[in-house]
Amino acid sequence: KIYVKLYSSTGDSWGNIQIMFKNKMALTVGWCHVGYDSEFEKTPKITTVPTIWRITKDQNTQLLIWCNDELVLSYKFTTSTRSGCVTRYAKDVTRIQFNGDQDNASDSYKIVKGLSFLISAI
């Protein structure tokens, strides 16, 4: 599982993104849904090690998940069952942190801009 906590410039943790590797890969967007809510639209072709995951935000309306340059999931914040999801994820990410207790797939990361970062996973 990839489990990334998102932080603001003031150091506040305001969200998290989890990618679960099961029979079907699934995503949860913290504070937007309870449990794993979105199965991947495409099963990623994982042919390289490490695998490069790119997570970006499209004009604050959706989260885009890429695996080795292939779009595998687009998650619209407006589909959230909880109020506040859209405004919470409109924030910029200045720091991320892997949740060491629950993340067993991530090696390193690089923030590119705003809510856009690359994760190198095994």
Side-chain angles (χ1 to χ4, degrees):
K1 167 165 73 170
I2 294 174
Y3 189 123
V4 181
K5 294 180 183 179
L6 311 174
Y7 291 86
S8 69
S9 60
T10 59
D12 299 322
S13 173
W14 57 263
N16 67 74
I17 297 168
Q18 298 176 53
I19 299 173
M20 179 66 82
F21 303 98
K22 290 187 172 186
N23 294 339
K24 283 218 165 208
M25 295 178 72
L27 169 80
T28 191
V29 179
W31 288 287
C32 289
H33 289 271
V34 176
Y36 289 90
D37 42 55
S38 296
E39 288 188 351
F40 277 54
E41 296 154 5
K42 286 182 157 184
T43 301
K45 295 177 185 135
I46 300 176
T47 57
T48 62
V49 176
T51 301
I52 305 298
W53 293 87
R54 181 168 39 116
I55 301 171
T56 62
K57 197 171 45 169
D58 178 15
Q59 299 174 19
N60 296 332
T61 62
Q62 64 183 341
L63 192 65
L64 302 171
I65 311 273
W66 305 78
C67 179
N68 293 333
D69 292 324
E70 179 182 11
L71 181 64
V72 292
L73 178 69
S74 58
Y75 172 83
K76 294 186 187 308
F77 297 117
T78 55
T79 64
S80 173
T81 57
R82 298 175 107 179
S83 63
C85 176
V86 174
T87 55
R88 180 176 290 271
Y89 281 86
K91 298 176 183 179
D92 281 343
V93 175
T94 58
R95 181 172 70 91
I96 68 172
Q97 177 183 20
F98 298 119
N99 186 334
D101 295 341
Q102 297 183 42
D103 186 316
N104 58 6
S106 303
D107 287 334
S108 61
Y109 72 91
K110 176 177 134 182
I111 293 178
V112 179
K113 174 177 114 174
L115 181 55
S116 181
F117 47 91
L118 303 172
I119 298 172
S120 175
I122 53 174

